[in-house]
């Protein structure tokens, strides 16, 4: 009986060990599948944005804007950039009830209407070569590098990358370093639960800038609808979601 019990114990231990290993393999397989599926989804989303071919006015329409803010139709103006690509844009603006702006240009004070404004621009895509150049493993990491607050070690790493990129071009390096030094003073703040990552900053004259990452694609919404960020940011987030909704987990052809 004792011998039989020992044999049974060995069988049970072998069975438990074997089953545990199966669960480990199965868990790893499921994790790999989930990561692979997530990666594929991000590629599809970027591909969808590419299919819009920089038609910003289709990614964010006047109708999209009108869902979230009252438009003064009597003073409404629409601008669609003739420039195609990253620096193209669509802009919707109308007269606000705020006082005129006073802007100093070359020592002169220029007065003009402080318009309510919504603008979609700077649709761009991170590439594998950029990830390699800036020593980042993903578009998310590179996006964070561009907008989140830098700590000293991150600054030194970016400086080292610039030295590598501009080797043999001291003038270009000094210009790039100047931009990096200015980058240290960026005032961008994170937005939760928007795209894969999002950051915003506010300027009293020009309004709010919201940058959003979706897969390897990124875009910017510039908007001013009030005298302070808290009156504009919630609407900007809703407008960004309108853009993101154009490119979900499926391609544009299947929407």
């Amino acid at each position: 009986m004792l011998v039989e019990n020992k044999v049974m114990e060995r069988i049970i231990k072998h069975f438990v060990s074997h089953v545990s290993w199966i669960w480990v393999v199965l868990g790893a397989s499921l994790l790999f599948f989930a990561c692979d599926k997530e990666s594929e989804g991000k590629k599809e989303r970027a591909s969808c944005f590419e299919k819009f071919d920089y038609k910003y006015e289709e990614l964010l329409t006047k109708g999209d804007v009108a869902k979230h803010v009252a438009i003064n139709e009597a003073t409404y103006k629409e601008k669609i950039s003739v420039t195609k690509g990253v620096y193209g844009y669509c802009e919707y603006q109308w007269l606000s009830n705020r006082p005129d702006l006073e802007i100093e240009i070359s020592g002169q004070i220029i007065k003009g209407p402080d318009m309510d404004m919504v603008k979609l621009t700077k649709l761009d895509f991170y590439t594998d070569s950029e990830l390699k150049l800036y020593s980042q493993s993903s578009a998310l990491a590179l996006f964070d590098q561009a907008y989140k607050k830098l700590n000293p070690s991150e600054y030194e790493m970016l400086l080292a990358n610039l030295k590598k990129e501009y080797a043999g071009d001291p003038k270009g390096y000094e210009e790039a370093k100047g931009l990096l030094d200015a980058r240290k003073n960026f005032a961008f703040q994170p937005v939760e639960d928007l795209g894969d990552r999002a950051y915003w900053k506010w300027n009293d004259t020009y309004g709010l800038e919201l940058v959003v990452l979706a897969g390897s694609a990124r875009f910017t919404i510039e908007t001013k609808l009030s005298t302070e960020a808290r009156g504009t940011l919630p609407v900007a987030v809703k407008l960004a979601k309108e853009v993101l909704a154009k490119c979900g987990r499926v391609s544009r052809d299947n929407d």
Side-chain angles (χ1 to χ4, degrees):
M1 188 67 175
L2 182 60
V3 173
E4 290 178 353
N5 287 342
K6 288 184 178 181
V7 171
M8 185 60 68
E9 285 178 7
R10 288 182 180 179
I11 292 173
I12 292 173
K13 286 181 180 179
H14 176 76
F15 176 77
V16 171
S17 176
H18 187 64
V19 170
S20 298
W21 176 246
I22 290 174
W23 279 111
V24 169
V25 173
L26 181 60
S29 299
L30 289 173
L31 180 61
F32 175 81
F33 176 76
C35 292
D36 188 58
K37 188 175 181 181
E38 180 181 2
S39 176
E40 187 63 30
K42 289 182 177 181
K43 288 180 181 178
E44 287 184 2
R45 177 168 284 192
S47 177
C48 171
F49 278 112
E50 288 176 346
K51 288 180 181 179
F52 274 92
D53 196 27
Y54 296 101
K55 294 176 181 174
Y56 291 95
E57 69 277 14
E58 293 184 9
L59 279 167
L60 184 65
T61 68
K62 178 187 176 184
D64 293 331
V65 176
K67 293 178 188 177
H68 308 290
V69 62
I71 295 175
N72 182 338
E73 293 290 350
T75 60
Y76 172 79
K77 295 180 181 179
E78 181 176 302
K79 297 180 181 179
I80 308 298
S81 171
V82 296
T83 301
K84 190 174 181 179
V86 177
Y87 297 105
Y89 63 86
C90 67
E91 183 175 1
Y92 311 106
Q93 60 176 232
W94 55 94
L95 196 61
S96 74
N97 57 7
R98 297 185 297 276
D100 285 353
L101 281 174
E102 293 187 356
I103 303 175
E104 184 176 346
I105 301 177
S106 300
Q108 292 188 332
I109 301 298
I110 307 297
K111 293 186 67 174
D114 188 7
M115 305 289 285
D116 277 344
M117 175 272 295
V118 172
K119 180 178 181 179
L120 175 64
T121 186
K122 296 177 185 174
L123 175 63
D124 204 0
F125 303 88
Y126 287 117
T127 64
D128 290 340
S129 60
E130 286 179 299
L131 299 183
K132 183 177 180 180
L133 176 63
Y134 296 107
S135 305
Q136 296 297 333
S137 60
S138 66
L140 178 59
L142 190 51
F143 187 75
D144 279 340
Q145 178 178 283
Y147 293 103
K148 78 172 185 178
K149 187 174 179 61
L150 293 178
N151 60 43
S153 62
E154 288 170 332
Y155 173 82
E156 292 301 328
M157 182 187 70
L158 291 174
L159 191 61
N161 287 336
L162 289 181
K163 289 179 180 178
K164 179 172 63 175
E165 182 180 359
Y166 290 95
D169 182 8
K171 183 178 179 180
Y173 169 74
E174 288 302 322
E175 291 177 354
K177 183 178 181 299
L179 292 173
L180 178 60
D181 290 340
R183 163 72 178 83
K184 286 196 300 184
N185 299 318
F186 272 13
F188 282 96
Q189 300 181 53
V191 179
E192 299 298 327
D193 301 321
L194 182 62
D196 292 321
R197 189 82 89 229
Y199 292 91
W200 69 274
K201 71 174 182 177
W202 173 262
N203 179 282
D204 287 339
T205 300
Y206 301 106
L208 187 134
E209 180 180 352
L210 174 65
V211 290
V212 182
L213 178 71
S216 62
R218 62 190 187 275
F219 60 85
T220 298
I221 289 181
E222 299 172 5
T223 183
K224 188 175 185 183
L225 301 167
S226 64
T227 58
E228 53 188 16
R230 66 180 181 180
T232 297
L233 179 59
V235 177
V237 169
K238 291 176 182 177
L239 296 175
K241 289 181 178 179
E242 293 286 350
V243 176
L244 291 168
K246 302 290 195 306
C247 286
R249 290 296 179 183
V250 295
S251 68
R252 187 184 176 199
D253 292 337
N254 294 328
D255 281 350

